[in-house]
Amino acid sequence: MRALSASAALALLFFAGSAVAQQARLDLGMPATPEQIRGWDIDVRPDGAGLPPGKGSVEQGEKIYAEQCAACHGEKGQDPAKGFDRLVGGKGTLATPKPVQTVGSYWPHATTLFDYVHRAMPFPAPQTLTADEVYSVVAYLLYLNDIVPRDTVMNAQGLMKVKMPNAEGFIPDGRPDAENMRCKTDCK
């Protein structure tokens, strides 16, 4: 085993001691409690993990959308205010010179729509919608994009069953530092 040189050992002691001294001197922060962590642990994965309990209908979503979303995204999600995204339409445009990326034409997972609305919307007051309100808005947006019928009542189980039109439009990342989720052995 190789011994550390005196200067390397001294440098190691200096940096370790410096880090301990700074931590003690600054007295910043405290360990997060499980309750605090739960408050921030609100992500929803494509497989539905993280979806909260709740439910909402297209009809309820239409009312909430009119109150909370239409000012930015347009009355029916098609005529957004400047700087905001169109949410409806765009079918068949992704392979054209002017693709229209919307919930119905581009997004691969309905659960991702729930996640985004839940965490980031409405724009001026993110995370103020209840789980029931988010399920309702998501049901309404899926209805506007002809993905679910008007009488849909959405919940976690129903949302995981929604087949998005562009679900197969994304390809696995083949870079060596990214795990290929679709293929595990003998992939081509």
Side-chain angles (χ1 to χ4, degrees), residues 60-81 84-85 87 117 121-124 129 133-134 136-138 140-141 144:
Q60 293 163 323
E62 185 172 17
K63 292 174 188 163
I64 297 164
Y65 182 92
E67 295 168 4
Q68 301 286 337
C69 313
C72 297
H73 295 287
E75 186 179 327
K76 300 272 185 194
Q78 295 185 20
D79 298 310
F84 292 91
D85 292 327
L87 302 175
V117 172
M121 296 290 132
F123 179 68
L129 298 176
E133 290 171 323
V134 176
S136 298
V137 169
V138 167
Y140 180 62
L141 290 172
L144 288 176

Side-chain angles (χ1 to χ4, degrees), residues 5 10-11 19-20 29 33 40 43 51 75 79 93 101-102 105 131 139 168:
S5 70
L10 185 59
V20 169
T33 67
W40 285 98
D43 66 305
L51 282 168
E75 186 179 327
D79 298 310
T93 67
Q101 294 179 342
T102 68
S105 70
E168 301 302 319

Side-chain angles (χ1 to χ4, degrees), residues 109-129:
H109 308 287
T111 52
T112 305
L113 176 60
F114 182 97
D115 177 70
Y116 188 76
V117 172
H118 182 57
R119 286 193 289 138
M121 296 290 132
F123 179 68
Q127 297 182 25
T128 58
L129 298 176

Side-chain angles (χ1 to χ4, degrees), residues 23-106:
Q23 185 178 20
R25 182 177 44 145
L26 296 176
D27 196 29
L28 293 176
M30 62 183 182
T33 67
E35 291 158 11
Q36 290 170 323
I37 292 169
R38 267 193 303 280
W40 285 98
D41 187 15
I42 62 170
D43 66 305
V44 174
R45 296 192 313 237
D47 66 1
L51 282 168
K55 66 179 180 178
S57 70
V58 170
E59 184 178 336
Q60 293 163 323
E62 185 172 17
K63 292 174 188 163
I64 297 164
Y65 182 92
E67 295 168 4
Q68 301 286 337
C69 313
C72 297
H73 295 287
E75 186 179 327
K76 300 272 185 194
Q78 295 185 20
D79 298 310
K82 185 175 182 177
F84 292 91
D85 292 327
R86 180 176 170 180
L87 302 175
V88 176
K91 284 184 184 175
T93 67
L94 294 183
T96 69
K98 293 188 179 188
V100 179
Q101 294 179 342
T102 68
V103 168
S105 70
Y106 183 72

